[in-house]
Amino acid sequence: MKIIRAESLGMCFGVRDAIALALEQADAGPLTILGDLVHNTTVAAALQARGIAVAHAAAEVQTQTVMVTAHGASDRALANVRALGLNVVEATCPLVHAAHRAVAALVRDGYHPIIIGQRAHVEVLGLTEDLDGFDVVLDEEDVLALDEHPRMGIAAQTTQPLEKVQHLVALIRRRFPQADVRFIDTVCQPTKQRQGAALELARQCDVVIVIGGANSNNTRELVNTCRHECSRVHHVQTDLDLRPEWFREAQTVGITAGTSTPDDVIDRVDQRIRELADQQAGPGGAHARGRARARSDQ
């Protein structure tokens, strides 16, 4: 059984920087993170082991310093936290900040903002909470429910697949041919890299394992992308989720991972798959294995 990794996979620079900042702040004094720093239970457990608290509302914070997650927050939300007298540290990914600037530019230029993404996702909430009027769409049904505006400006949650975003933009333009529709591409480069690499990986494999948090949007989107090209795709959070039956009669197994998945988690999944392959081959079994080197997006 051959085991290969996607050329681009795993933790992005925004997540690495957010984790490093949280650890630095925790060394300086008690710290609470407002929400999940990233959507990965392994990362969350590691942070809590360092004494970092988590609160899901500002009123619950019991430390003087509070950190905003990598997903960002609205100016309104930040002001509410500061009004409580708390010191606010932002771990917001720079590419999320870029999405905020893009939406603000659309509004400033007189466009009705439309965000392509998950309505209840923390990043989308951060993008929309300062707006007086907006729409959020995720599929064709949402586009059909839109009202027409003379000028319609579109941006996207940074972890949405670009292909889906472009499809919905085209639908909006076809539905409202008289409107001035402006699209700003806010899908982040790490997401684009991992989506493209996952698609190429899935074309080569009998089985694909996608590693990432259960609540991670970009990981779920990797799963959906791989399923376009491979019928046997499995989403796991750690090596403990792997099942031997997934790999029966598999010739080539691919591994990819979401942008909040630590390197050591990927390595443990890789190693466990190799162990399962050895067990299935039995004594004396030989396996030709290869692994493409994962490239860093930093």
Side-chain angles (χ1 to χ4, degrees):
M1 188 169 70
K2 184 178 180 182
I3 301 170
I4 58 177
R5 294 191 187 190
E7 286 195 2
S8 178
L9 81 169
M11 196 171 282
C12 65
F13 75 90
V15 170
R16 291 186 193 277
D17 289 350
I19 293 170
L21 181 59
L23 295 174
E24 177 185 320
Q25 291 294 319
D27 286 341
L31 175 68
T32 299
I33 298 174
L34 197 56
D36 296 323
L37 185 65
V38 293
H39 289 150
N40 186 282
T41 54
T42 302
V43 172
L47 294 174
Q48 290 178 19
R50 290 288 297 270
I52 299 172
V54 176
H56 294 283
E60 300 172 0
V61 175
Q62 297 183 14
T63 60
Q64 184 59 41
T65 302
V66 63
M67 176 173 283
V68 173
T69 75
H71 306 101
S74 66
D75 290 342
R76 184 177 302 172
L78 291 172
N80 289 339
V81 176
R82 291 190 175 104
L84 296 174
L86 301 173
N87 299 326
V88 178
V89 177
E90 289 195 63
T92 307
C93 174
L95 301 181
V96 174
H97 273 309
H100 279 253
R101 291 194 296 271
V103 173
L106 289 170
V107 174
R108 186 174 59 247
D109 292 341
Y111 289 87
H112 174 77
I114 300 171
I115 308 299
I116 296 174
Q118 294 176 297
R119 183 177 299 274
H121 192 281
V122 62
E123 181 187 327
V124 174
L125 294 174
L127 288 169
T128 57
E129 282 178 342
D130 291 327
L131 304 177
D132 293 329
F134 62 90
D135 285 293
V136 178
V137 300
L138 190 60
D139 53 34
E140 296 184 11
E141 185 176 338
D142 292 334
V143 172
L144 292 176
L146 288 174
D147 293 326
E148 184 169 7
H149 298 266
R151 310 184 86 187
M152 306 173 80
I154 308 171
Q157 181 180 353
T158 58
T159 55
Q160 287 296 315
L162 182 60
E163 182 179 359
K164 180 168 76 172
V165 170
Q166 291 173 330
H167 172 66
L168 293 177
V169 170
L171 282 179
I172 292 170
R173 284 181 167 145
R174 286 202 299 272
R175 183 157 187 264
F176 304 109
Q178 303 304 316
D180 175 7
V181 177
R182 180 182 175 192
F183 168 56
I184 300 179
D185 180 6
T186 53
V187 177
C188 72
Q189 190 62 26
T191 291
K192 292 173 181 175
Q193 291 171 338
R194 282 151 184 72
Q195 283 282 331
L199 194 62
E200 181 60 30
L201 179 77
R203 289 172 178 151
Q204 306 174 54
C205 297
D206 306 305
V207 178
V208 175
I209 302 300
V210 184
I211 314 164
N215 296 324
S216 167
N217 178 71
N218 76 85
T219 302
R220 285 195 299 266
E221 294 295 353
L222 285 176
V223 172
N224 293 335
T225 294
C226 290
R227 283 177 176 158
H228 289 311
E229 299 291 338
C230 180
S231 61
R232 298 166 66 184
V233 179
H234 303 281
H235 179 182
V236 302
Q237 296 193 81
T238 71
D239 57 300
L240 300 177
D241 297 326
L242 294 168
R243 298 290 177 265
E245 60 268 22
W246 293 349
F247 307 101
R248 288 174 186 153
E249 300 183 3
Q251 299 298 312
T252 305
V253 174
I255 298 173
T256 188
T259 54
S260 57
T261 306
D263 296 342
D264 62 329
V265 173
I266 298 172
D267 291 340
R268 286 198 297 272
V269 168
D270 187 314
Q271 180 60 36
R272 180 55 181 158
I273 293 172
R274 294 173 189 277
E275 291 171 358
L276 291 172
D278 287 339
Q279 292 171 11
Q280 292 185 12
H287 306 285
R289 298 188 183 112
R291 180 168 64 186
R293 180 177 299 171
R295 296 178 181 171
S296 170
D297 59 271
Q298 296 185 40

